[in-house]
Amino acid sequence: MMEQLQEIRCKGLGVSEGIVIGQVLRMHDGTQHVYHWKIDDADLEAERRRFRAAVALASRQVLTIKEKAEERFGKDHAYIFDAHLLLLEDEKLIGDIERHITKEHANAEWAVKVVGDNLLYLYSQIKDDYLRERGSDIEDVMRRLLVALSGAQPGNHSLSEDAVIVSQDLLPSAVAELDLEHARALATDTGGWTSHTAILARGVGIPAVVGLRDFYRRTKTGDRIIVDSSRNEVILHPSAATLKAYQAETATRARQPDIADLAAMGPVRTQDGVEVTLRANVEVPSEFDGVERYGASGVGLYRSEFLLARRGAMVSEDEQRLAYEAIAKVAGEQGAVIRLFDLGGDNLREQFQEPEKNPALGLRAIRFGLCNEDVMRRQVRAILRAAASGHVKIVLPMVADVSDVRRAQGIIQEEARNLRKAGRSLGEVSVGAMIEVPSAVFMADRIARIVDFFELGTNDLVQYTLAVDRGNDEVADWFRTLHPAVLHSIEQSLKAAAHAGIPAIVCGEMASTPAYAVLLIGLGATDLSMTPSSIPRVRRAIAGIDSQQARLIAGECLNCDTADDVENLVRERFTNRWPDLFPSMSLPARGQSQ
Ligand code: PEP
Ligand code: MG
């Protein structure tokens, strides 16, 4: 009989609802620390064999990914992986690495790094845009080789039915290989409510607990695990008694979709007749179905950088155009707001950027685009061309002021002119600004005069207003969505938009939480965009409240001194006014939405 290991319970933050009993699948976070050590003469052949085995493994992985990509996106989009296969079969490249192992007595990892870096340098010097970009294929292949050599599980395994992904930090780039549709749950050492892992898990509808500190190192692939998001907990090696209790609980909890909620489509009205538009935030294709299923009025936010995350590399103009056309199709008449790549910060940092000391305050989002104009221009052209056949808009991420907006608008106008001159078909595209940093809030009235719409990114608004890293569990207690400073920022931005007569969509995670959504209505919002699966419960809450009463409560909240005061007030007022919608204790705990 197998020995029963000691049950280990680890507390974190449940960021996506649900309970799952499954098996650990450890996943490397993709960052590679490459060390150098010396190989003795006697071991050189073994080291070269180890390298060749890694090449063979990497090739098999790429083939599998290619097949999957063909199934998902069609043959036209899978050709990129041919380039990866060619590199893995390239005798010169593979030979150079083997020669480096032999000549320098270097370990295979080091040889891959040295030869790969040299090649990347050569590519970076090439003038031709297209060829230069192929450098990203080399980077991708080198990373894959390093993972293969490390013995870590690559990401593109076909997941077992009950795989629970356990990782230190699941960077968005990991999505490139992670078959989220089949993963049953996520458990990560770092992260917070608004980290992209959490957003994705909610989007795809699988339970997730993040901020588990040192959980990853305690696990082995294949270990039995229970992820219990409602108790903010994961249980490793559950005892027979624990397992039995959870099996009983999951059986009774099996979710029954509420047919009435699912049937509701389009905008919703409060009891006093204020119409509120509910849109969908989407990142990956597995979320697309949800737009229609949950009755969203189009796509309020498409986080386009996830297009790159799947690939871990830049994507050509034509491929982007096809992707944007697909999004426009999903969104229908109501259209899709495509956010220009929000790269940098914690988004695909290591693929596209030099390391920065303070990435959240560094070359992120619009700043990345303005410093890498070719990337931005290519994306803009793809969106303008997609607009010829579908309804799409552009939103500029993380603008700090009017000058960021003007510079981006200049580029968009110039690209539109060039396309027209070249006789290409394109469509009119309105341009909006994400309001998510304090300087944009202070300048909101000026920015509102020069854009077509606002999008309020409350995740970053909380992060930057309160100077709290949204992905750092150490400071999760300071991440207070209901901080009065955040509420004032939201109110001020909404007022600026109303004054200028432009629409304002609130698209941060705040909008996904019924109580917070009601508070947003009280602050003046009438357009919310969220994870599609949250739409039914937010719809139910909004349909049951009176906007004037929400306004009165929001007014009181704005007069509070602390986040604690606001939370207590909301709890007290909401349970008094709308006891059926918000029974006591149903409101989110500190730093968390539900
Ligand atoms: C936000 O910041 O609230 C937002 C919607 O964008 P992201 O979460 O992708 O930064
Ligand atoms: Mg943001």
Side-chain angles (χ1 to χ4, degrees), residues 196 303 339 342 364 434 436 457 459-460 470:
H196 282 110
R303 291 179 163 99
R339 181 172 71 186
D342 187 349
R364 183 186 159 184
M434 294 283 301
E436 47 187 351
N459 307 331
D460 278 315
R470 57 195 266 192

Side-chain angles (χ1 to χ4, degrees), residues 361-389:
L361 304 183
L363 204 60
R364 183 186 159 184
I366 197 69
R367 300 172 189 175
F368 178 91
L370 292 172
C371 289
N372 293 275
E373 266 195 32
D374 52 336
V375 174
M376 182 161 160
R377 286 179 184 276
R378 185 180 313 122
Q379 183 175 29
V380 165
R381 283 195 300 275
I383 299 174
L384 291 169
R385 289 173 59 201
S389 59

Side-chain angles (χ1 to χ4, degrees), residues 396 405 409 431-433 446-454 502:
L396 311 171
V405 176
Q409 284 172 330
V431 179
R446 312 291 174 94
I447 298 175
R449 285 183 214 153
I450 59 167
V451 295
D452 299 313
F453 62 98
F454 272 0
I502 58 168

Side-chain angles (χ1 to χ4, degrees), residues 377-427:
R377 286 179 184 276
R378 185 180 313 122
Q379 183 175 29
V380 165
R381 283 195 300 275
I383 299 174
L384 291 169
R385 289 173 59 201
S389 59
H391 302 288
V392 290
K393 297 178 184 179
I394 290 179
V395 70
L396 311 171
M398 220 184 114
V399 295
D401 55 20
V402 165
S403 75
D404 279 346
V405 176
R406 284 205 182 117
R407 286 176 67 187
Q409 284 172 330
I411 288 173
I412 296 168
Q413 285 153 7
E414 207 174 295
E415 288 304 326
R417 266 198 307 276
N418 291 342
L419 283 173
R420 263 185 222 108
K421 254 195 245 155
R424 311 294 289 268
S425 54
L426 70 156

